[in-house]
Amino acid sequence: MQSFAQTYNPICINRKVLLDAFRYFCSRINKKPGYGLRISSYFYYLWLKIEIILMNKPQITIKDIARALNVSPSTVSRALKDNPDISRETRDLIHAYAREHNYKPNVLAVNLRSSRSNTIGVIVPQLVHHFFSCVLSGIETAAAKAGYNIIVAQSNESYEQEVKIVHSFLASRVCGVIASLAKNTEQYDHYQELLNNDIPIVFYDRICTELKTERVVVDDYAGSFAAVEYMIQTGCKRIFFYGASPHLEITKNRRNGYLDAMKKYKVPVDDSMIKLCDNRERAIAITPDLLESDNRPDGFFAINDETAAGILYACKLVGLKVPDEVSICGFTDGAIAQSTDPKLTTVEQHGEEVGKSAFGILTDKLNGHEGKSTNKIVRTNLVVRGTTK
């Protein structure tokens, strides 16, 4: 088998024809009595060995094409770029050979020669989250139109994983990074390392204010203010706020929108009405006791739809009617908001627009368009459904 592999260059083997021939030969031998089975088994083994060789054959290179067609590597390189200095006949021949043998350019080699890649790293806290998947969709759409590649990595809300991702982006020589912070990220040395290597960053949603970078955020304050104002105007007098980690900018802005709406309408607020709760499980755990207290809430504004859905479930557990006895509003407007019963009132974030804007700002910076705005606020809107009056 070794001598076969050395004698016949895998690049020159027509895989389909060879394997079809072996299958046919084995089927014919199998019909012979006695020794046929042993010979068939041997040739089937030989076919599997060749199959393995072909499956693991290396990608052909420009030098391989040049050697096969008896031209110089520079001729192949220019022909693949459709350089008019190469005759149409030669270009067609080289393109045909490249297609037949599944030639793919070595992107890493191109990046090394140009000292710049065409790849952007994207960090997503949670791919299953509707908002982040929408942001990613916006980035992918914009990148495809602009001819950029993207590498997507999920931090899974882990600072340690986020650091590893950034280091892998450095090793991959990405030209820029679009990122949203994990919930527990409070140190930013890994991002500073990107900046030290002249790799620009655009933060979205959960941003870092301690580094000089570009940012794209939704108007968290205005969205929260509008939601709480609507709840007050429809009769709520004791609205609780369920928020995320207090160091996150989105928590600060949404809490401030909540507080200012309550202040505008002179609705009293105390510390007991602001809870650290940003997921369904915790909402189900802490809400029933609040609902069964003497001074129970008649409204909840949650930092995301997942948490709002947990509150709705807790209301059903204790037998309270939504929205007749309790109003609930979330923030995101994903699939969860339209799958609950009743459907959630929520604040729409426009994730795809966030993704496209982040990509646009990053590529403007990469292309030296310094005159354009480096920060953007995407407007939100309140979507009223069945969990509010």
Side-chain angles (χ1 to χ4, degrees):
M1 202 67 239
Q2 184 178 5
S3 61
F4 178 88
Q6 290 172 343
T7 304
Y8 297 95
N9 184 346
I11 295 168
C12 300
I13 296 174
N14 188 317
R15 180 176 183 273
K16 186 178 186 305
V17 172
L18 181 60
L19 296 181
D20 285 348
F22 265 101
R23 292 186 187 103
Y24 174 78
F25 187 74
C26 289
S27 68
R28 298 290 294 177
I29 289 292
N30 244 342
K31 295 178 180 179
K32 303 291 184 181
Y35 66 89
L37 181 60
R38 290 194 299 273
I39 295 175
S40 175
S41 298
Y42 170 75
F43 275 101
Y44 185 71
Y45 167 76
L46 186 60
W47 165 62
L48 287 177
K49 294 288 284 186
I50 294 174
E51 175 88 343
I52 291 169
I53 291 173
L54 296 177
M55 287 177 65
N56 292 284
K57 67 182 181 183
Q59 284 283 344
I60 66 169
T61 66
I62 284 177
K63 289 183 179 179
D64 293 322
I65 299 174
R67 191 180 303 114
L69 299 179
N70 197 27
V71 295
S72 70
S74 63
T75 297
V76 175
S77 177
R78 286 183 292 165
L80 291 172
K81 296 174 183 175
D82 285 323
N83 190 312
D85 292 340
I86 308 300
S87 70
R88 167 59 64 184
E89 182 182 0
T90 302
R91 278 185 279 162
D92 289 346
L93 178 65
I94 289 171
H95 275 291
Y97 189 90
R99 282 194 302 272
E100 182 182 349
H101 294 86
N102 297 314
Y103 167 75
K104 297 291 187 298
N106 187 331
V107 176
L108 180 58
V110 172
N111 292 344
L112 289 170
R113 285 195 298 271
S114 65
S115 297
R116 173 184 166 180
S117 76
N118 206 37
T119 301
I120 291 171
V122 179
I123 301 178
V124 180
Q126 283 186 317
L127 283 168
V128 296
H129 194 290
H130 176 80
F131 172 70
F132 293 127
S133 65
C134 287
V135 172
L136 181 57
S137 177
I139 294 171
E140 287 181 326
T141 300
K145 288 181 180 178
Y148 280 82
N149 303 310
I150 64 170
I151 302 175
V152 181
Q154 178 181 228
S155 68
N156 205 25
E157 302 292 11
S158 164
Y159 163 76
E160 292 76 14
Q161 181 64 17
E162 189 178 279
V163 172
K164 291 178 183 177
I165 291 169
V166 168
H167 290 159
S168 72
F169 283 172
L170 280 164
S172 300
R173 301 171 65 87
V174 299
C175 61
V177 170
I178 300 173
S180 185
L181 298 176
K183 289 179 183 178
N184 63 346
T185 297
E186 297 186 64
Q187 297 179 337
Y188 313 105
D189 293 348
H190 50 307
Y191 287 116
Q192 183 62 56
E193 194 173 353
L194 287 171
L195 298 176
N196 292 344
N197 282 272
D198 296 321
I199 298 174
I201 307 168
V202 175
F203 284 107
Y204 68 93
D205 192 48
R206 301 180 195 161
I207 62 173
C208 173
T209 58
E210 296 188 20
L211 299 177
K212 188 177 180 181
T213 63
E214 284 65 36
R215 306 161 190 162
V216 179
V217 296
V218 300
D219 197 341
D220 293 302
Y221 174 87
S224 299
F225 187 97
V228 176
E229 181 177 54
Y230 178 81
M231 294 175 75
I232 294 170
Q233 290 175 342
T234 53
C236 293
K237 294 181 171 55
R238 185 166 170 78
I239 303 169
F240 276 47
F241 172 66
Y242 281 14
S245 301
H247 72 276
L248 294 172
E249 289 299 310
I250 63 167
T251 303
K252 296 175 185 177
N253 292 331
R254 293 178 194 180
R255 184 183 63 227
N256 288 340
Y258 158 81
L259 290 172
D260 284 355
M262 299 285 272
K263 182 178 180 180
K264 176 182 177 180
Y265 290 90
K266 297 181 173 57
V267 179
V269 178
D270 58 65
D271 291 343
S272 68
M273 298 167 66
I274 299 175
K275 303 293 183 182
L276 177 57
C277 176
D278 65 353
N279 60 69
R280 185 177 189 274
E281 291 72 22
R282 178 155 174 77
I284 293 172
I286 70 171
T287 306
D289 287 344
L290 297 174
L291 294 174
E292 292 175 337
S293 64
D294 293 335
N295 193 20
R296 68 170 178 81
D298 60 2
F300 291 89
F301 174 58
I303 197 163
N304 56 44
D305 288 348
E306 181 187 358
T307 304
I311 297 168
L312 176 59
Y313 184 80
C315 289
K316 292 182 178 181
L317 285 178
V318 300
L320 290 176
K321 295 179 181 179
V322 177
D324 296 339
E325 297 176 284
V326 180
S327 290
I328 304 168
C329 182
F331 207 114
T332 300
D333 195 29
I336 292 175
Q338 299 192 51
S339 61
T340 58
D341 182 25
K343 295 180 179 180
L344 280 174
T345 293
T346 187
V347 179
E348 187 176 5
Q349 287 184 275
H350 305 288
E352 285 204 28
E353 185 180 344
V354 171
K356 290 177 181 177
S357 298
F359 178 84
I361 290 173
L362 181 61
T363 51
D364 280 343
K365 190 168 183 66
L366 289 171
N367 295 322
H369 300 158
E370 299 295 340
K372 294 193 175 184
S373 173
T374 57
N375 298 299
K376 182 168 182 177
I377 298 175
V378 175
R379 301 179 90 177
T380 58
N381 60 281
L382 181 65
V383 181
V384 177
R385 295 196 181 97
T387 57
T388 54
K389 297 174 185 176

